[in-house]
Amino acid sequence: MVQQKDEPVVGQVRGEKKLPLVVYLHGGDFVLFSASTVIFHNFCNDIAEYFSAVVVSVEYRLAPENKLPAAFEDALDAIFWVQNQVTHQL
C-alpha cells in the first residue's frame, strides 16, 4: 500500500507521530541481573532505535531476597502503570 501525500500517517495526532511502546522485562529468570545490566540496557537501546519505539524497561524485585510472586507483581504493576499513563494521555 502506497501512502498518498495528502493522507495522514496512521497513528498521527496533530502532526506528531505516535511511537510504538515496548514493555521489556529483562532476562535472569527473576533471580539475576537488573534493568541496568549493560547487555539488557543496550538491547533496549537497539530496540528503540531499530523500531523507532519507546521502550519501558522494568526493574523488578529478585528472588531469593523477595519470594515469588513479587517479581510477577512488579511486572504487572509496570504494565498497569503504562496502561494508566496511556489512558490519561488520550
Side-chain angles (χ1 to χ4, degrees):
M1 175 186 215
V2 177
Q3 179 181 343
Q4 301 299 320
K5 290 183 180 182
D6 301 14
E7 295 178 16
V9 176
V10 174
Q12 268 191 337
V13 175
R14 293 183 292 273
E16 296 178 9
K17 181 180 177 189
K18 287 186 176 181
L19 298 175
L21 175 69
V22 176
V23 178
Y24 180 76
L25 302 170
H26 66 81
D29 298 320
F30 298 107
V31 178
L32 302 170
F33 311 117
S34 76
S36 62
T37 301
V38 172
I39 192 166
F40 301 126
H41 179 77
N42 290 345
F43 181 68
C44 288
N45 287 342
D46 291 343
I47 290 173
E49 181 180 2
Y50 184 81
F51 293 107
S52 296
V54 173
V55 179
V56 176
S57 183
V58 178
E59 185 70 49
Y60 50 79
R61 293 173 286 172
L62 300 177
E65 295 87 1
N66 301 282
K67 296 184 179 198
L68 290 176
F72 301 117
E73 291 169 347
D74 293 348
L76 281 174
D77 285 345
I79 291 168
F80 291 140
W81 180 85
V82 167
Q83 180 185 30
N84 188 33
Q85 299 307 303
V86 171
T87 303
H88 285 64
Q89 295 298 318
L90 297 177

